[in-house]
Amino acid sequence: MTNSIEELQDAKVLFVIGSNTTEAHPVISYYMKRAVKRGATLVVSDPRKTDLTRWATLHVQHKVGTDIAYINGLIHEIFKNGWAREDFLRECTENPDVIREGVRDYPVEKASEICGVPVETMRRVARILGEAESTSLCYTLGITEHICGTDNVKTLANLQMVLGNLGKPAAGVNPLRGQNNVQGACDMGALPNVFHNYQPVNNPELSAKIAKAWGVPSLPQKPGYTMPTMLRKALDGGTKILYCVGDNTVQTEPHMAHTIKELEALEFFVVCDIFDNLTTPYADVIFPDTAWGEEDGTFTNSERRVQRVRRALTPPGEARSHWWVMQELGKRLGKDLGFTSANAVWEDMRKSATSCAGITWERIESLGLQWPCPTLEHPGTTFLHRDGRFTRGKGLFSVTKWIPQAEPPDAEYPLVLSTGRRLWHYHSGTQTRNSKGFENIFGEELLEISPADAAALGIRNGDRVRATSRRGSIELTAWVTDRSAPGVVWCAFHFAEVCANVLTIDKFDSVTETAEYKACAIRVEKIGDGQPLGAGISRQARP
Amino acid sequence: MINPLDIEQLFVIATQRENEAFEFYSAAARKVGDPSVRAMFQQLAKDEQGHFELLERFRSNPTDIMKIAPPAADWKVAESEAMPPLSTDMKPRDAIALAMKKEQQAVEFYHALGAAATTAETRHMFENLANMELGHKHRLENMFIDVGYPEVF
């Protein structure tokens, strides 16, 4: 996030796109609701009628995968009406004429044809954004989990730069992270091309600095593979060994049948996790890891805040902290990392990267700090790019073009399947599916289908249905609901027995290699009568 | 009572430093290729010009008592960074790092002179000048934090 979570409550306008915030980020959604109570205008753009839309001034139900056309249409309208912040464009951006020209192909009439949003609604949204003093923009995986995810993000950045909504409070481009500590994992260098704190591995000077700090002669300077490439290369022998920490790969990667083939092709596969899951049967070795309540360390949340996590329980059986497992492995491979605690790992990172250099465990004993926090004297940074100052000097616009989803619906597979998360479960359910409480509340996955599609297919609420894509089939219970727009069905990937990733397509964004989890073509058929779902089912999506 | 000759010498030193800084940033602006960095150096040169004029105002009116408060905090970011060399392909991060390092050097310079001063008045004057440079350093450190830590992967 360029800005902070708490600032959301002060926003005059909130523009939330591709984010089921109340279910996936319930705490953050409270700040959004507080903003609405204080008089903010909330625009939710989402193909689904998520719970947050109940709080929205306006819910814009654009078609799945049409974000670029929709946003470019808004930018076009903003320029046309003179709502662009010309002073910001002049002072803080490098190539404003490029975006002015780049959105000429997207007048609202044309954008409307692509995204399915009525022209008048698009004009209304553009006016709300254009006339606002400032707007805070939030997005989540509905933006990134597409083959054009990188361009989706660039388009949102274009919008906020055109509106001058960067470098000030209650504004910014705010991706709400998909997991509690994905920010921390990225900060720590769990990426193929950077060391900790985004220091490029192919920079010889930085590589030498870190090699010296770690007491090794040199470090590889060639970026590694992204995860889809690692798996793909298993099939041609390019990946022989896979070491997998806390990732239920079989259940979370798209096209499950293909993922299994990739894992089976490995010569040696190590899995580190807290419970058995769909992936562990393919492992040659399983290391039992500690769970979050059994671990000392830090989590870094979406707003770059490094927070302490403390051990409350003794780990069961042979479970060990993963830093310890890695260290023991290192010793057996001939390198003793020499760490004595999780804090020692943090200190090692802190001392060889400046953005977190001021964050010690002592300083975050009661409240976390937001990086950049380069020195012990610095209080941390609530929002980035103050007064429109960017890393590269001035902001750079990138023109983006809409492309259709990788697998559009057709006569054989006429519906679009979109996938995501539910309030009561987390990711592949390795934790939450092992909790009796959550299972009692929401113990069975449901396929959300619109009343119009259900009627056309003769499906009633609670009926058993089969969902089939070109990659597989699952059988589950139908939830007939206007949460889904006509033409779109939805289910989560939390449930191993009916996992959405049996159906999803293994097509990826060309830059990040994030899969298009949000759009593939499927067909749905009724396979049996069922018990009607209780009226309280919609409460299950409401925190 | 402070010796007028000492005050004059002090102003000569201080204004000379500002002048040198102005010349340095002006030359740097001519040298670098990146338009953003050039604009940054041009602004820094302008700032130094402003500092020079401020000192001249004090110099021309010796009855004015120089009272420059230090900034609310000293983040010590400049102290944590190495001085990057001036080059034609400098990035904004390095340009700001260079400027904040130069301000750090100025603070240290006046602190050293203050410590060596033989009268309370000159010490006070050097402390004020150090505070002024500390203020500049603080502003540049805030700028550095805005651009210095990209989340790029």
Side-chain angles (χ1 to χ4, degrees):
Chain A
M1 291 173 73
T2 58
N3 289 58
S4 296
I5 294 165
E6 200 172 4
E7 290 170 28
L8 295 175
Q9 67 189 355
D10 300 321
K12 298 285 180 279
V13 174
L14 279 164
F15 185 44
V16 179
I17 183 164
S19 169
N20 179 5
T21 321
T22 43
E23 289 195 76
H25 299 90
V27 175
I28 293 177
S29 77
Y30 290 132
Y31 290 91
M32 293 178 176
K33 291 172 188 173
R34 196 175 288 168
V36 172
K37 285 179 181 171
R38 290 177 176 183
T41 302
L42 170 64
V43 177
V44 177
S45 289
D46 202 294
R48 300 176 67 220
K49 193 175 171 186
T50 58
D51 183 65
L52 189 64
T53 61
R54 293 190 305 119
W55 295 77
T57 314
L58 186 60
H59 172 211
V60 180
Q61 213 158 5
H62 62 297
K63 288 182 188 167
V64 173
T66 62
D67 307 87
I68 291 173
Y70 169 54
I71 300 297
N72 277 345
L74 296 181
I75 297 173
H76 183 280
E77 191 69 8
I78 285 163
F79 274 124
K80 188 178 154 190
N81 287 282
W83 292 321
R85 298 301 189 274
E86 293 296 339
D87 51 344
F88 188 91
L89 292 175
R90 195 173 47 251
E91 301 296 326
C92 306
T93 70
E94 195 172 304
N95 55 348
D97 290 339
V98 164
I99 190 66
R100 224 184 289 273
E101 195 57 39
V103 295
R104 276 197 203 282
D105 290 344
Y106 293 91
V108 281
E109 294 79 7
K110 183 181 167 189
S112 167
E113 281 176 25
I114 299 170
C115 70
V117 179
V119 167
E120 280 316 305
T121 306
M122 290 196 66
R123 289 199 171 121
R124 189 176 163 203
V125 177
R127 178 177 288 278
I128 290 170
L129 301 179
E131 292 184 343
E133 186 186 315
S134 68
T135 295
S136 179
L137 185 151
C138 296
Y139 69 88
T140 315
L141 302 175
I143 284 295
T144 51
E145 289 184 343
H146 286 286
I147 53 167
C148 53
T150 300
D151 278 352
N152 280 351
V153 173
K154 284 180 179 173
T155 312
L156 295 179
N158 288 347
L159 174 70
Q160 287 297 68
M161 285 201 289
V162 165
L163 292 169
N165 280 329
L166 286 159
K168 56 185 180 180
V173 177
N174 301 297
L176 312 180
R177 293 294 207 159
Q179 289 92 29
N180 64 326
N181 192 33
V182 71
Q183 179 74 50
C186 293
D187 295 351
M188 263 314 209
L191 290 162
N193 56 346
V194 292
F195 293 115
H196 52 297
N197 294 84
Y198 311 98
Q199 304 177 88
V201 297
N202 58 4
N203 179 326
E205 207 176 303
L206 284 172
S207 182
K209 181 191 88 172
I210 295 168
K212 189 180 171 194
W214 289 347
V216 292
S218 64
L219 289 163
Q221 289 184 26
K222 196 176 153 194
Y225 298 143
T226 58
M227 188 165 172
T229 301
M230 285 181 204
L231 292 172
R232 196 161 50 240
K233 284 187 171 290
L235 294 175
D236 64 16
T239 304
K240 297 184 190 306
I241 299 170
L242 192 65
Y243 187 92
C244 177
V245 187
D247 178 83
N248 183 359
T249 312
V250 170
Q251 198 172 328
T252 57
E253 289 302 297
H255 191 174
M256 186 186 286
H258 191 66
T259 304
I260 290 169
K261 275 187 200 158
E262 291 168 331
L263 294 181
E264 285 177 336
L266 291 165
E267 286 183 15
F268 186 55
F269 183 31
V270 181
V271 167
C272 317
D273 220 314
I274 59 172
F275 290 118
D276 267 329
N277 54 42
L278 284 190
T279 305
T280 51
Y282 300 93
D284 297 291
V285 174
I286 301 168
F287 289 137
D289 271 356
T290 46
W292 57 269
E294 301 156 0
E295 187 62 281
D296 266 325
T298 59
F299 287 160
T300 305
N301 71 3
S302 292
E303 60 172 3
R304 299 165 277 105
R305 187 182 296 279
V306 183
Q307 305 171 102
R308 275 283 277 119
V309 177
R310 295 170 182 84
R311 173 177 284 193
L313 296 168
T314 304
E318 294 182 301
R320 296 284 185 275
S321 298
H322 202 76
W323 69 264
W324 184 91
V325 176
M326 293 290 276
Q327 175 148 291
E328 289 302 307
L329 202 57
K331 281 181 190 168
R332 285 155 179 78
L333 291 168
K335 175 67 187 170
D336 184 355
L337 301 171
F339 294 127
T340 52
S341 64
N343 191 20
V345 179
W346 175 263
E347 282 295 300
D348 178 80
M349 191 276 279
R350 188 177 77 79
K351 285 173 180 165
S352 55
T354 49
S355 63
C356 290
I359 303 176
T360 61
W361 280 24
E362 289 74 26
R363 287 191 77 194
I364 58 171
E365 179 64 27
S366 57
L367 183 66
L369 285 167
Q370 289 168 280
W371 67 260
C373 180
T375 62
L376 293 171
E377 291 78 10
H378 195 268
T381 305
T382 53
F383 66 90
L384 303 173
H385 313 306
R386 190 177 292 268
D387 301 327
R389 274 191 293 270
F390 298 101
T391 302
R392 58 185 316 283
K394 291 188 170 188
L396 185 73
F397 287 103
S398 302
V399 174
T400 55
K401 302 283 179 199
W402 171 76
I403 55 167
Q405 64 188 73
E407 186 185 49
D410 55 21
E412 200 179 352
Y413 298 95
L415 295 168
V416 173
L417 171 73
S418 198
T419 70
R421 293 120 193 259
R422 294 198 181 277
L423 175 64
W424 300 106
H425 287 284
Y426 177 68
H427 219 244
S428 69
T430 303
Q431 294 170 85
T432 53
R433 292 297 310 283
N434 281 291
S435 160
K436 281 182 186 166
F438 291 131
E439 284 293 279
N440 284 336
I441 294 169
F442 201 96
E444 178 197 359
E445 182 51 23
L446 306 170
L447 185 75
E448 297 184 17
I449 183 167
S450 73
D453 290 327
L457 293 165
I459 295 167
R460 289 172 309 173
N461 205 18
D463 281 349
R464 294 291 294 168
V465 294
R466 181 182 298 122
T468 306
S469 76
R470 290 183 174 85
R471 294 155 293 281
S473 240
I474 55 173
E475 294 177 2
L476 65 176
T477 299
W479 176 10
V480 180
T481 169
D482 64 357
R483 277 161 61 93
S484 274
V488 180
V489 292
W490 187 94
C491 71
F493 63 103
H494 306 305
F495 289 69
E497 57 276 31
V498 283
C499 180
N501 285 323
V502 170
L503 309 174
T504 50
I505 188 166
D506 45 345
K507 295 290 180 187
F508 304 90
D509 177 89
S510 61
V511 178
T512 61
E513 294 209 48
T514 298
E516 190 156 61
Y517 291 105
K518 298 300 184 201
C520 71
I522 68 163
R523 66 167 178 264
V524 177
E525 60 201 308
K526 178 174 173 174
I527 54 172
D529 291 331
Q531 294 296 317
L533 298 171
I537 190 67
S538 57
R539 290 290 306 168
Q540 304 302 347
R542 196 171 291 175
Chain B
M1 181 71 185
I2 189 166
N3 185 336
L5 193 62
D6 289 345
I7 294 178
E8 184 55 25
Q9 280 170 343
L10 195 152
F11 275 115
V12 168
I13 294 167
T15 52
Q16 208 169 6
R17 282 190 71 89
E18 300 299 345
N19 238 336
E20 282 167 9
F22 170 78
E23 292 297 335
F24 176 82
Y25 290 130
S26 300
R30 287 192 295 273
K31 191 177 176 186
V32 295
D34 186 320
S36 297
V37 179
R38 190 180 311 126
M40 208 170 272
F41 279 137
Q42 282 166 344
Q43 183 58 48
L44 287 164
K46 212 168 149 189
D47 291 348
E48 297 299 345
Q49 182 93 43
H51 306 158
F52 175 84
E53 284 163 9
L54 176 74
L55 290 170
E56 282 294 295
R57 273 206 301 280
F58 280 115
R59 184 187 202 171
S60 60
N61 192 354
T63 53
D64 261 10
I65 298 168
M66 191 187 266
K67 257 185 139 175
I68 302 173
D74 180 4
W75 306 141
K76 298 192 187 301
V77 180
E79 287 83 341
S80 72
E81 289 288 322
M83 171 87 94
L86 181 63
S87 68
T88 52
D89 58 350
M90 278 186 113
K91 298 280 177 274
R93 177 189 200 278
D94 291 335
I96 299 172
L98 187 144
M100 71 181 184
K101 287 300 285 186
K102 288 185 83 67
E103 299 295 350
Q104 178 203 339
Q105 288 174 343
V107 173
E108 288 163 358
F109 174 78
Y110 287 125
H111 276 155
L113 288 186
T118 51
T119 67
E121 287 85 350
T122 47
R123 193 173 305 118
H124 170 78
M125 197 71 99
F126 281 128
E127 274 169 16
N128 272 279
L129 287 167
N131 285 346
M132 182 182 80
E133 301 295 357
L134 205 54
H136 304 160
K137 181 169 92 83
H138 184 68
R139 190 172 65 88
L140 285 160
E141 287 182 346
N142 282 333
M143 283 173 71
F144 183 79
I145 285 163
D146 284 328
V147 307
Y149 307 102
E151 189 179 351
V152 177
F153 51 90

